[in-house]
């Protein structure tokens, strides 16, 4: 199966940019997702990128994909205190089962 | 459009009991998948249903089962509960296995 890894913690100051990184192992992964989870809540779909893209921008969010290195990142511009949450990277491999493989999640703390 | 709803939001059970969780997908979505979230194992896939058929299953024991109804609502059942089944159970809906939208989850505590 797919292994997805993320660093566990990230702290940034309000107004700075945050960059959350993710690596995955299955090069056949077609779609790669970013989800946000706030305390006591479910997962909120933030954005996704298809494997034939290098970059996708959606308002304050920028996703970068390096297929060669199997590396995905999520940049949040002008980070706000409301962005404090756990961010999960998830991949769907093309081969095998059509389900999401999640990373461990990165806890983002925004310091006012 | 209403989002994914899950009931109940919280459950407390004792070892050996069984439990049924319910998920109503977004209107028009025919695929429902279930995930278990625990601090130790993270988010793990349980199973996926599409048009009342289970088309994908994760690596969980047979005590975990599910079904989907003709209106796309889904239930999952856990029999003979163990302490390790304590978790947040998340349901996700999608049109046909595309973008998955998650519900708020059911927090199950097994005592």
């Amino acid at each position: 199966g797919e292994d997805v890894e993320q660093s566990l913690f990230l702290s940034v100051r309000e107004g700075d940019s945050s960059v959350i990184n993710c690596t995955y192992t299955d090069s056949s992964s077609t779609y790669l997702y970013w989800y946000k989870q706030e305390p006591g809540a479910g997962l909120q779909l933030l954005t996704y990128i298809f494997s034939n893209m290098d970059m996708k921008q959606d308002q304050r969010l920028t996703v970068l994909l390096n297929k060669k290195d199997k590396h995905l990142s999520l940049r949040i511009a002008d980070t706000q205190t409301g962005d404090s949450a756990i961010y999960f990277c998830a991949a769907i491999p093309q081969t095998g089962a059509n389900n999401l493989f999640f990373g461990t999640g990165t806890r983002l703390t925004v310091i006012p | 459009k209403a989002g994914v709803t899950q009931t109940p939001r919280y459950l407390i059970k004792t070892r050996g009991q069984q439990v049924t969780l319910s998920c109503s997908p977004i209107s028009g979505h025919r695929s429902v998948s279930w995930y278990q979230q625990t601090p130790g194992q993270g988010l793990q896939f349980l199973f996926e249903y599409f048009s009342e058929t289970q088309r994908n299953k994760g690596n969980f024991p047979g005590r975990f089962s599910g079904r989907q109804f003709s209106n796309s609502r889904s239930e999952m059942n856990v029999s003979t509960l163990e302490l390790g089944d304590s978790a947040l159970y998340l349901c996700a809906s999608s049109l046909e296995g595309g973008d998955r939208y998650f519900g708020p989850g059911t927090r199950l505590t097994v005592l």
Side-chain angles (χ1 to χ4, degrees), chain A residues 31 33 35 37 40-45 48 88 92 97-104, chain B residues 9-10 35 37 43 45 48 55-56 88 90 96-105:
Chain A
Y31 285 93
Y33 294 86
Y35 284 88
Q37 187 175 38
L43 300 173
Q44 176 191 352
L45 176 60
Y48 71 91
F88 290 93
I92 298 182
N98 182 34
N99 57 274
L100 289 167
F101 286 83
F102 283 91
T104 50
Chain B
R9 291 292 312 278
Y10 302 92
Y35 290 79
Q37 185 177 26
L43 281 151
F45 171 74
E48 181 193 11
R55 67 177 182 183
N56 198 356
L88 180 67
L90 293 161
E96 288 189 26
D99 294 348
R100 277 104 165 139
Y101 296 90
F102 282 81

Side-chain angles (χ1 to χ4, degrees), chain B residues 30-98:
Chain B
R30 294 163 64 193
S31 170
V32 173
S33 48
W34 290 87
Y35 290 79
Q36 181 197 62
Q37 185 177 26
T38 59
Q41 299 298 316
L43 281 151
Q44 292 187 290
F45 171 74
L46 281 155
F47 27 66
E48 181 193 11
Y49 287 87
F50 180 80
S51 292
E52 301 178 65
T53 301
Q54 185 184 88
R55 67 177 182 183
N56 198 356
K57 190 177 190 306
N59 190 24
F60 277 81
R63 299 185 297 107
F64 291 81
S65 63
R67 58 179 176 168
Q68 187 179 33
F69 301 94
S70 58
N71 62 358
S72 294
R73 190 177 70 86
S74 175
E75 288 181 348
M76 68 163 279
N77 183 277
V78 188
S79 62
T80 320
L81 284 165
E82 299 176 2
L83 294 178
D85 297 333
S86 293
L88 180 67
Y89 289 88
L90 293 161
C91 160
S93 84
S94 64
L95 274 171
E96 288 189 26

